[in-house]
Amino acid sequence: MKRVSSLMALLLVAVPLPAADLKVAAVFSDHMVLQRDKPVPVWGWAKPGEKITVDFAGQKQTGTANDKGLWMIKLNALTVSAESRELVVRSDADQAGIKISDVLVGEVWLGSGQSNMAMQVSRCNDFEAEKAAADLPLVRMFKENSTASAKLNPDAKGSWAVTSAKTVGDFSATLYFFGRAIHKELKIPVGLINSSVGGTPIESWIAAETQSRVPALKQAHEAEVKFYNSVDEEKLKANYAKALAKWNDQAAKAKAEGKPAPRKPQDPLANRARRGAPGGLFNGKIHPLIPYAIRGVLWYQGEANSADTKAALYEHQLATLVRDWRSRWGEELPFAWVQLPNFNRPGEGWSVVREGMLKTLQLPKTGMAITLDIGDPKDIHPKNKQDVGQRLALWALGTVYGKTDVATSGPLPDKHTVRGSEIVVSFTHADGGLKAKGDLKEFEIAGEDGKWVSADARIDGETVVVSSSDVKKPVAVRYAWTANPTACLFNGRGLPASPFRTTE
């Protein structure tokens, strides 16, 4: 009962005016999947004081709308079911009620982040083959369509879609390929919730008040808020109009000369609206989904935070996001993310964001899909999302679902020891022993002067021994510390090792 009260308090800050008619939150709609083996909150709005009944799978639970018109009722833990059933919500004034059809019970995962999470199956490798194989009625996806908001958004926008050749092209590819792998292994219904927006930084996805309370983020957050509020939108609009007019002239000239048109300028107001103020996407696209019962969260983001001036904050931001979302859902949800792949990007920021992701694995029940070998140096949106989803699924199958025959990660650095002129690095997740693909040329070593030089490296069981004739007294080692390295260290299951450095 205490848990229900706390969730009600959370929703109250964003509740709309009392509804004259019975209403359920938008995420409760036809074709939805409910989470198995844990209590399932169902909520909505009605007249204040009205008695509400939720009827599903032999359960009939009741509650009362509060003085703001908000009601929330919890179904007891449900057992998995692929049977298409109906969930009915009734009120005293509406005995016919709201009938939600084709409801399944299984595993539900939330996927969020920026463009690589939003990227659709239709833009990925082998789309025609994927479309032909998409007869998977037990895998469903809800796409959250709300925008960023200055205030907490009370309700989501969107609908559930059943996987088919007609629908799969619009699905988040990473999320779909993850869900398909989970479904194939567990053979139960899988629900996927996609709440992602391209080109957005992580600070848009963390509640503003949370960022202001974290010492490592407070100063940067306040600066971001100040900058956001200082922008002159009329000036932006006028400057964009001038840039667009100039582009139109250049495009017309290029067409007349048979040349390709220059790149069209982006609308800064549209970009501003898409990301919102710090916390704006949490308000608009995550808050309205809380506390829908889910198994865990998948995160694919970081590109927008990879500038050298911002990247060092990422380890604090990602850890804050994980802790905050878990707190708001009221449980230690399993949480995994995709480490940035190989991509041509100047500066160190791309590597520092990767490092922030590696460091955040210190939090319990977290995981990371290492993608150093499956990116595209020339495309920030690599088309191989099949392997991305599969690697996230391996983590989930091994750590969340207890499968013992899967490798849940590529090699992760564990400890390092200076041994004379060598540094010995040990790894976890070797899974059959460390393996080299080609030369181990991505290792570097540094002495007390802090200068990095290329190093010789050899595998010794579950360790790598690193040295250089130019460094007699090494103090630090790093691996794959560029945005676009060649992945050359793998485990026995074929998964690549994470980039790392032993000192900053």
Side-chain angles (χ1 to χ4, degrees), residues 109-130:
W109 286 82
L110 168 64
S112 187
Q114 60 179 110
S115 53
N116 272 305
M117 180 61 82
M119 185 173 168
Q120 299 167 315
V121 175
S122 61
R123 295 173 55 197
C124 294
N125 289 341
D126 306 319
F127 173 54
E128 291 302 320
E130 296 293 359

mmCIF file with all atom_site columns, all heavy atoms in Angstrom, residues 109-130:
data_model
loop_
_atom_site.group_PDB
_atom_site.id
_atom_site.type_symbol
_atom_site.label_atom_id
_atom_site.label_alt_id
_atom_site.label_comp_id
_atom_site.label_asym_id
_atom_site.label_entity_id
_atom_site.label_seq_id
_atom_site.pdbx_PDB_ins_code
_atom_site.Cartn_x
_atom_site.Cartn_y
_atom_site.Cartn_z
_atom_site.occupancy
_atom_site.B_iso_or_equiv
_atom_site.pdbx_formal_charge
_atom_site.auth_seq_id
_atom_site.auth_comp_id
_atom_site.auth_asym_id
_atom_site.auth_atom_id
_atom_site.pdbx_PDB_model_num
ATOM 1   N N   . TRP A 1 109 ? 10.483 -4.312  -21.783 1.00 0.00 ? 109 TRP A N   1
ATOM 2   C CA  . TRP A 1 109 ? 11.716 -3.526  -21.682 1.00 0.00 ? 109 TRP A CA  1
ATOM 3   C C   . TRP A 1 109 ? 11.499 -2.140  -22.268 1.00 0.00 ? 109 TRP A C   1
ATOM 4   O O   . TRP A 1 109 ? 10.844 -1.991  -23.298 1.00 0.00 ? 109 TRP A O   1
ATOM 5   C CB  . TRP A 1 109 ? 12.858 -4.215  -22.423 1.00 0.00 ? 109 TRP A CB  1
ATOM 6   C CG  . TRP A 1 109 ? 13.380 -5.422  -21.700 1.00 0.00 ? 109 TRP A CG  1
ATOM 7   C CD1 . TRP A 1 109 ? 12.846 -6.683  -21.707 1.00 0.00 ? 109 TRP A CD1 1
ATOM 8   C CD2 . TRP A 1 109 ? 14.533 -5.482  -20.854 1.00 0.00 ? 109 TRP A CD2 1
ATOM 9   N NE1 . TRP A 1 109 ? 13.603 -7.514  -20.913 1.00 0.00 ? 109 TRP A NE1 1
ATOM 10  C CE2 . TRP A 1 109 ? 14.641 -6.817  -20.380 1.00 0.00 ? 109 TRP A CE2 1
ATOM 11  C CE3 . TRP A 1 109 ? 15.489 -4.545  -20.465 1.00 0.00 ? 109 TRP A CE3 1
ATOM 12  C CZ2 . TRP A 1 109 ? 15.676 -7.217  -19.529 1.00 0.00 ? 109 TRP A CZ2 1
ATOM 13  C CZ3 . TRP A 1 109 ? 16.515 -4.946  -19.616 1.00 0.00 ? 109 TRP A CZ3 1
ATOM 14  C CH2 . TRP A 1 109 ? 16.607 -6.278  -19.162 1.00 0.00 ? 109 TRP A CH2 1
ATOM 15  N N   . LEU A 1 110 ? 12.068 -1.143  -21.598 1.00 0.00 ? 110 LEU A N   1
ATOM 16  C CA  . LEU A 1 110 ? 12.058 0.233   -22.085 1.00 0.00 ? 110 LEU A CA  1
ATOM 17  C C   . LEU A 1 110 ? 13.380 0.533   -22.775 1.00 0.00 ? 110 LEU A C   1
ATOM 18  O O   . LEU A 1 110 ? 14.453 0.269   -22.222 1.00 0.00 ? 110 LEU A O   1
ATOM 19  C CB  . LEU A 1 110 ? 11.864 1.194   -20.906 1.00 0.00 ? 110 LEU A CB  1
ATOM 20  C CG  . LEU A 1 110 ? 12.109 2.686   -21.175 1.00 0.00 ? 110 LEU A CG  1
ATOM 21  C CD1 . LEU A 1 110 ? 11.107 3.229   -22.187 1.00 0.00 ? 110 LEU A CD1 1
ATOM 22  C CD2 . LEU A 1 110 ? 12.049 3.480   -19.872 1.00 0.00 ? 110 LEU A CD2 1
ATOM 23  N N   . GLY A 1 111 ? 13.316 1.094   -23.985 1.00 0.00 ? 111 GLY A N   1
ATOM 24  C CA  . GLY A 1 111 ? 14.513 1.531   -24.698 1.00 0.00 ? 111 GLY A CA  1
ATOM 25  C C   . GLY A 1 111 ? 14.482 3.035   -24.892 1.00 0.00 ? 111 GLY A C   1
ATOM 26  O O   . GLY A 1 111 ? 13.457 3.605   -25.282 1.00 0.00 ? 111 GLY A O   1
ATOM 27  N N   . SER A 1 112 ? 15.610 3.702   -24.602 1.00 0.00 ? 112 SER A N   1
ATOM 28  C CA  . SER A 1 112 ? 15.641 5.157   -24.715 1.00 0.00 ? 112 SER A CA  1
ATOM 29  C C   . SER A 1 112 ? 17.018 5.617   -25.186 1.00 0.00 ? 112 SER A C   1
ATOM 30  O O   . SER A 1 112 ? 17.966 4.838   -25.247 1.00 0.00 ? 112 SER A O   1
ATOM 31  C CB  . SER A 1 112 ? 15.289 5.789   -23.358 1.00 0.00 ? 112 SER A CB  1
ATOM 32  O OG  . SER A 1 112 ? 15.149 7.197   -23.465 1.00 0.00 ? 112 SER A OG  1
ATOM 33  N N   . GLY A 1 113 ? 17.118 6.907   -25.524 1.00 0.00 ? 113 GLY A N   1
ATOM 34  C CA  . GLY A 1 113 ? 18.375 7.466   -25.982 1.00 0.00 ? 113 GLY A CA  1
ATOM 35  C C   . GLY A 1 113 ? 18.167 8.391   -27.166 1.00 0.00 ? 113 GLY A C   1
ATOM 36  O O   . GLY A 1 113 ? 17.092 8.985   -27.329 1.00 0.00 ? 113 GLY A O   1
ATOM 37  N N   . GLN A 1 114 ? 19.187 8.497   -28.020 1.00 0.00 ? 114 GLN A N   1
ATOM 38  C CA  . GLN A 1 114 ? 19.078 9.395   -29.157 1.00 0.00 ? 114 GLN A CA  1
ATOM 39  C C   . GLN A 1 114 ? 18.947 8.620   -30.459 1.00 0.00 ? 114 GLN A C   1
ATOM 40  O O   . GLN A 1 114 ? 18.300 7.561   -30.483 1.00 0.00 ? 114 GLN A O   1
ATOM 41  C CB  . GLN A 1 114 ? 20.223 10.408  -29.156 1.00 0.00 ? 114 GLN A CB  1
ATOM 42  C CG  . GLN A 1 114 ? 21.634 9.870   -29.238 1.00 0.00 ? 114 GLN A CG  1
ATOM 43  C CD  . GLN A 1 114 ? 22.660 10.996  -29.260 1.00 0.00 ? 114 GLN A CD  1
ATOM 44  O OE1 . GLN A 1 114 ? 23.390 11.181  -28.307 1.00 0.00 ? 114 GLN A OE1 1
ATOM 45  N NE2 . GLN A 1 114 ? 22.755 11.749  -30.365 1.00 0.00 ? 114 GLN A NE2 1
ATOM 46  N N   . SER A 1 115 ? 19.530 9.106   -31.541 1.00 0.00 ? 115 SER A N   1
ATOM 47  C CA  . SER A 1 115 ? 19.156 8.618   -32.869 1.00 0.00 ? 115 SER A CA  1
ATOM 48  C C   . SER A 1 115 ? 19.461 7.154   -33.115 1.00 0.00 ? 115 SER A C   1
ATOM 49  O O   . SER A 1 115 ? 18.751 6.490   -33.886 1.00 0.00 ? 115 SER A O   1
ATOM 50  C CB  . SER A 1 115 ? 19.827 9.460   -33.952 1.00 0.00 ? 115 SER A CB  1
ATOM 51  O OG  . SER A 1 115 ? 21.223 9.529   -33.742 1.00 0.00 ? 115 SER A OG  1
ATOM 52  N N   . ASN A 1 116 ? 20.505 6.607   -32.506 1.00 0.00 ? 116 ASN A N   1
ATOM 53  C CA  . ASN A 1 116 ? 20.788 5.201   -32.759 1.00 0.00 ? 116 ASN A CA  1
ATOM 54  C C   . ASN A 1 116 ? 19.795 4.266   -32.072 1.00 0.00 ? 116 ASN A C   1
ATOM 55  O O   . ASN A 1 116 ? 19.633 3.126   -32.511 1.00 0.00 ? 116 ASN A O   1
ATOM 56  C CB  . ASN A 1 116 ? 22.230 4.866   -32.374 1.00 0.00 ? 116 ASN A CB  1
ATOM 57  C CG  . ASN A 1 116 ? 23.191 5.107   -33.528 1.00 0.00 ? 116 ASN A CG  1
ATOM 58  O OD1 . ASN A 1 116 ? 23.010 4.573   -34.611 1.00 0.00 ? 116 ASN A OD1 1
ATOM 59  N ND2 . ASN A 1 116 ? 24.196 5.945   -33.308 1.00 0.00 ? 116 ASN A ND2 1
ATOM 60  N N   . MET A 1 117 ? 19.144 4.733   -31.009 1.00 0.00 ? 117 MET A N   1
ATOM 61  C CA  . MET A 1 117 ? 18.027 3.953   -30.464 1.00 0.00 ? 117 MET A CA  1
ATOM 62  C C   . MET A 1 117 ? 16.773 4.187   -31.292 1.00 0.00 ? 117 MET A C   1
ATOM 63  O O   . MET A 1 117 ? 15.965 3.284   -31.503 1.00 0.00 ? 117 MET A O   1
ATOM 64  C CB  . MET A 1 117 ? 17.776 4.310   -29.000 1.00 0.00 ? 117 MET A CB  1
ATOM 65  C CG  . MET A 1 117 ? 16.611 3.537   -28.364 1.00 0.00 ? 117 MET A CG  1
ATOM 66  S SD  . MET A 1 117 ? 16.832 1.734   -28.339 1.00 0.00 ? 117 MET A SD  1
ATOM 67  C CE  . MET A 1 117 ? 17.882 1.545   -26.885 1.00 0.00 ? 117 MET A CE  1
ATOM 68  N N   . ALA A 1 118 ? 16.606 5.410   -31.778 1.00 0.00 ? 118 ALA A N   1
ATOM 69  C CA  . ALA A 1 118 ? 15.423 5.718   -32.592 1.00 0.00 ? 118 ALA A CA  1
ATOM 70  C C   . ALA A 1 118 ? 15.499 5.102   -33.986 1.00 0.00 ? 118 ALA A C   1
ATOM 71  O O   . ALA A 1 118 ? 14.465 4.890   -34.632 1.00 0.00 ? 118 ALA A O   1
ATOM 72  C CB  . ALA A 1 118 ? 15.269 7.233   -32.713 1.00 0.00 ? 118 ALA A CB  1
ATOM 73  N N   . MET A 1 119 ? 16.697 4.829   -34.476 1.00 0.00 ? 119 MET A N   1
ATOM 74  C CA  . MET A 1 119 ? 16.895 4.339   -35.849 1.00 0.00 ? 119 MET A CA  1
ATOM 75  C C   . MET A 1 119 ? 16.024 3.122   -36.151 1.00 0.00 ? 119 MET A C   1
ATOM 76  O O   . MET A 1 119 ? 15.994 2.152   -35.403 1.00 0.00 ? 119 MET A O   1
ATOM 77  C CB  . MET A 1 119 ? 18.366 3.997   -36.066 1.00 0.00 ? 119 MET A CB  1
ATOM 78  C CG  . MET A 1 119 ? 18.708 3.599   -37.482 1.00 0.00 ? 119 MET A CG  1
ATOM 79  S SD  . MET A 1 119 ? 20.503 3.430   -37.655 1.00 0.00 ? 119 MET A SD  1
ATOM 80  C CE  . MET A 1 119 ? 20.604 2.636   -39.251 1.00 0.00 ? 119 MET A CE  1
ATOM 81  N N   . GLN A 1 120 ? 15.307 3.191   -37.261 1.00 0.00 ? 120 GLN A N   1
ATOM 82  C CA  . GLN A 1 120 ? 14.297 2.190   -37.589 1.00 0.00 ? 120 GLN A CA  1
ATOM 83  C C   . GLN A 1 120 ? 14.880 0.972   -38.309 1.00 0.00 ? 120 GLN A C   1
ATOM 84  O O   . GLN A 1 120 ? 15.925 1.052   -38.963 1.00 0.00 ? 120 GLN A O   1
ATOM 85  C CB  . GLN A 1 120 ? 13.210 2.832   -38.457 1.00 0.00 ? 120 GLN A CB  1
ATOM 86  C CG  . GLN A 1 120 ? 12.489 3.983   -37.768 1.00 0.00 ? 120 GLN A CG  1
ATOM 87  C CD  . GLN A 1 120 ? 11.650 4.782   -38.736 1.00 0.00 ? 120 GLN A CD  1
ATOM 88  O OE1 . GLN A 1 120 ? 12.082 5.122   -39.833 1.00 0.00 ? 120 GLN A OE1 1
ATOM 89  N NE2 . GLN A 1 120 ? 10.421 5.091   -38.335 1.00 0.00 ? 120 GLN A NE2 1
ATOM 90  N N   . VAL A 1 121 ? 14.175 -0.121  -38.205 1.00 0.00 ? 121 VAL A N   1
ATOM 91  C CA  . VAL A 1 121 ? 14.576 -1.354  -38.885 1.00 0.00 ? 121 VAL A CA  1
ATOM 92  C C   . VAL A 1 121 ? 14.696 -1.127  -40.389 1.00 0.00 ? 121 VAL A C   1
ATOM 93  O O   . VAL A 1 121 ? 15.574 -1.695  -41.047 1.00 0.00 ? 121 VAL A O   1
ATOM 94  C CB  . VAL A 1 121 ? 13.571 -2.487  -38.582 1.00 0.00 ? 121 VAL A CB  1
ATOM 95  C CG1 . VAL A 1 121 ? 13.912 -3.744  -39.382 1.00 0.00 ? 121 VAL A CG1 1
ATOM 96  C CG2 . VAL A 1 121 ? 13.546 -2.806  -37.085 1.00 0.00 ? 121 VAL A CG2 1
ATOM 97  N N   . SER A 1 122 ? 13.861 -0.267  -40.938 1.00 0.00 ? 122 SER A N   1
ATOM 98  C CA  . SER A 1 122 ? 13.882 -0.013  -42.385 1.00 0.00 ? 122 SER A CA  1
ATOM 99  C C   . SER A 1 122 ? 15.189 0.595   -42.864 1.00 0.00 ? 122 SER A C   1
ATOM 100 O O   . SER A 1 122 ? 15.501 0.558   -44.055 1.00 0.00 ? 122 SER A O   1
ATOM 101 C CB  . SER A 1 122 ? 12.726 0.917   -42.766 1.00 0.00 ? 122 SER A CB  1
ATOM 102 O OG  . SER A 1 122 ? 12.838 2.160   -42.100 1.00 0.00 ? 122 SER A OG  1
ATOM 103 N N   . ARG A 1 123 ? 15.988 1.162   -41.946 1.00 0.00 ? 123 ARG A N   1
ATOM 104 C CA  . ARG A 1 123 ? 17.257 1.790   -42.316 1.00 0.00 ? 123 ARG A CA  1
ATOM 105 C C   . ARG A 1 123 ? 18.449 0.874   -42.055 1.00 0.00 ? 123 ARG A C   1
ATOM 106 O O   . ARG A 1 123 ? 19.590 1.283   -42.249 1.00 0.00 ? 123 ARG A O   1
ATOM 107 C CB  . ARG A 1 123 ? 17.428 3.100   -41.536 1.00 0.00 ? 123 ARG A CB  1
ATOM 108 C CG  . ARG A 1 123 ? 16.399 4.167   -41.872 1.00 0.00 ? 123 ARG A CG  1
ATOM 109 C CD  . ARG A 1 123 ? 16.543 5.353   -40.947 1.00 0.00 ? 123 ARG A CD  1
ATOM 110 N NE  . ARG A 1 123 ? 17.901 5.904   -40.958 1.00 0.00 ? 123 ARG A NE  1
ATOM 111 C CZ  . ARG A 1 123 ? 18.375 6.713   -40.011 1.00 0.00 ? 123 ARG A CZ  1
ATOM 112 N NH1 . ARG A 1 123 ? 17.609 7.043   -38.983 1.00 0.00 ? 123 ARG A NH1 1
ATOM 113 N NH2 . ARG A 1 123 ? 19.616 7.169   -40.098 1.00 0.00 ? 123 ARG A NH2 1
ATOM 114 N N   . CYS A 1 124 ? 18.194 -0.343  -41.635 1.00 0.00 ? 124 CYS A N   1
ATOM 115 C CA  . CYS A 1 124 ? 19.276 -1.254  -41.246 1.00 0.00 ? 124 CYS A CA  1
ATOM 116 C C   . CYS A 1 124 ? 19.644 -2.220  -42.362 1.00 0.00 ? 124 CYS A C   1
ATOM 117 O O   . CYS A 1 124 ? 18.960 -2.303  -43.383 1.00 0.00 ? 124 CYS A O   1
ATOM 118 C CB  . CYS A 1 124 ? 18.863 -2.035  -40.005 1.00 0.00 ? 124 CYS A CB  1
ATOM 119 S SG  . CYS A 1 124 ? 18.677 -0.984  -38.577 1.00 0.00 ? 124 CYS A SG  1
ATOM 120 N N   . ASN A 1 125 ? 20.709 -2.952  -42.126 1.00 0.00 ? 125 ASN A N   1
ATOM 121 C CA  . ASN A 1 125 ? 21.132 -3.978  -43.071 1.00 0.00 ? 125 ASN A CA  1
ATOM 122 C C   . ASN A 1 125 ? 20.011 -4.982  -43.316 1.00 0.00 ? 125 ASN A C   1
ATOM 123 O O   . ASN A 1 125 ? 19.244 -5.321  -42.403 1.00 0.00 ? 125 ASN A O   1
ATOM 124 C CB  . ASN A 1 125 ? 22.347 -4.739  -42.526 1.00 0.00 ? 125 ASN A CB  1
ATOM 125 C CG  . ASN A 1 125 ? 23.602 -3.895  -42.530 1.00 0.00 ? 125 ASN A CG  1
ATOM 126 O OD1 . ASN A 1 125 ? 23.685 -2.888  -43.226 1.00 0.00 ? 125 ASN A OD1 1
ATOM 127 N ND2 . ASN A 1 125 ? 24.594 -4.316  -41.755 1.00 0.00 ? 125 ASN A ND2 1
ATOM 128 N N   . ASP A 1 126 ? 19.925 -5.453  -44.554 1.00 0.00 ? 126 ASP A N   1
ATOM 129 C CA  . ASP A 1 126 ? 19.066 -6.583  -44.915 1.00 0.00 ? 126 ASP A CA  1
ATOM 130 C C   . ASP A 1 126 ? 17.598 -6.358  -44.563 1.00 0.00 ? 126 ASP A C   1
ATOM 131 O O   . ASP A 1 126 ? 16.907 -7.266  -44.085 1.00 0.00 ? 126 ASP A O   1
ATOM 132 C CB  . ASP A 1 126 ? 19.564 -7.871  -44.232 1.00 0.00 ? 126 ASP A CB  1
ATOM 133 C CG  . ASP A 1 126 ? 21.019 -8.156  -44.523 1.00 0.00 ? 126 ASP A CG  1
ATOM 134 O OD1 . ASP A 1 126 ? 21.432 -7.969  -45.680 1.00 0.00 ? 126 ASP A OD1 1
ATOM 135 O OD2 . ASP A 1 126 ? 21.748 -8.551  -43.596 1.00 0.00 ? 126 ASP A OD2 1
ATOM 136 N N   . PHE A 1 127 ? 17.102 -5.159  -44.829 1.00 0.00 ? 127 PHE A N   1
ATOM 137 C CA  . PHE A 1 127 ? 15.730 -4.872  -44.423 1.00 0.00 ? 127 PHE A CA  1
ATOM 138 C C   . PHE A 1 127 ? 14.711 -5.791  -45.082 1.00 0.00 ? 127 PHE A C   1
ATOM 139 O O   . PHE A 1 127 ? 13.762 -6.249  -44.438 1.00 0.00 ? 127 PHE A O   1
ATOM 140 C CB  . PHE A 1 127 ? 15.370 -3.417  -44.701 1.00 0.00 ? 127 PHE A CB  1
ATOM 141 C CG  . PHE A 1 127 ? 13.915 -3.116  -44.451 1.00 0.00 ? 127 PHE A CG  1
ATOM 142 C CD1 . PHE A 1 127 ? 13.332 -3.408  -43.222 1.00 0.00 ? 127 PHE A CD1 1
ATOM 143 C CD2 . PHE A 1 127 ? 13.114 -2.574  -45.448 1.00 0.00 ? 127 PHE A CD2 1
ATOM 144 C CE1 . PHE A 1 127 ? 11.979 -3.147  -42.989 1.00 0.00 ? 127 PHE A CE1 1
ATOM 145 C CE2 . PHE A 1 127 ? 11.770 -2.319  -45.232 1.00 0.00 ? 127 PHE A CE2 1
ATOM 146 C CZ  . PHE A 1 127 ? 11.199 -2.601  -43.996 1.00 0.00 ? 127 PHE A CZ  1
ATOM 147 N N   . GLU A 1 128 ? 14.874 -6.080  -46.365 1.00 0.00 ? 128 GLU A N   1
ATOM 148 C CA  . GLU A 1 128 ? 13.884 -6.921  -47.042 1.00 0.00 ? 128 GLU A CA  1
ATOM 149 C C   . GLU A 1 128 ? 13.817 -8.300  -46.389 1.00 0.00 ? 128 GLU A C   1
ATOM 150 O O   . GLU A 1 128 ? 12.725 -8.854  -46.192 1.00 0.00 ? 128 GLU A O   1
ATOM 151 C CB  . GLU A 1 128 ? 14.206 -7.033  -48.532 1.00 0.00 ? 128 GLU A CB  1
ATOM 152 C CG  . GLU A 1 128 ? 13.996 -5.741  -49.303 1.00 0.00 ? 128 GLU A CG  1
ATOM 153 C CD  . GLU A 1 128 ? 12.567 -5.208  -49.188 1.00 0.00 ? 128 GLU A CD  1
ATOM 154 O OE1 . GLU A 1 128 ? 11.622 -6.029  -49.231 1.00 0.00 ? 128 GLU A OE1 1
ATOM 155 O OE2 . GLU A 1 128 ? 12.404 -3.992  -49.034 1.00 0.00 ? 128 GLU A OE2 1
ATOM 156 N N   . ALA A 1 129 ? 14.974 -8.842  -46.033 1.00 0.00 ? 129 ALA A N   1
ATOM 157 C CA  . ALA A 1 129 ? 14.977 -10.145 -45.356 1.00 0.00 ? 129 ALA A CA  1
ATOM 158 C C   . ALA A 1 129 ? 14.377 -10.033 -43.960 1.00 0.00 ? 129 ALA A C   1
ATOM 159 O O   . ALA A 1 129 ? 13.636 -10.933 -43.514 1.00 0.00 ? 129 ALA A O   1
ATOM 160 C CB  . ALA A 1 129 ? 16.409 -10.673 -45.267 1.00 0.00 ? 129 ALA A CB  1
ATOM 161 N N   . GLU A 1 130 ? 14.665 -8.947  -43.263 1.00 0.00 ? 130 GLU A N   1
ATOM 162 C CA  . GLU A 1 130 ? 14.104 -8.765  -41.927 1.00 0.00 ? 130 GLU A CA  1
ATOM 163 C C   . GLU A 1 130 ? 12.584 -8.619  -41.993 1.00 0.00 ? 130 GLU A C   1
ATOM 164 O O   . GLU A 1 130 ? 11.851 -9.151  -41.157 1.00 0.00 ? 130 GLU A O   1
ATOM 165 C CB  . GLU A 1 130 ? 14.719 -7.542  -41.247 1.00 0.00 ? 130 GLU A CB  1
ATOM 166 C CG  . GLU A 1 130 ? 16.210 -7.638  -40.984 1.00 0.00 ? 130 GLU A CG  1
ATOM 167 C CD  . GLU A 1 130 ? 16.562 -8.707  -39.958 1.00 0.00 ? 130 GLU A CD  1
ATOM 168 O OE1 . GLU A 1 130 ? 15.657 -9.379  -39.421 1.00 0.00 ? 130 GLU A OE1 1
ATOM 169 O OE2 . GLU A 1 130 ? 17.770 -8.876  -39.691 1.00 0.00 ? 130 GLU A OE2 1
#
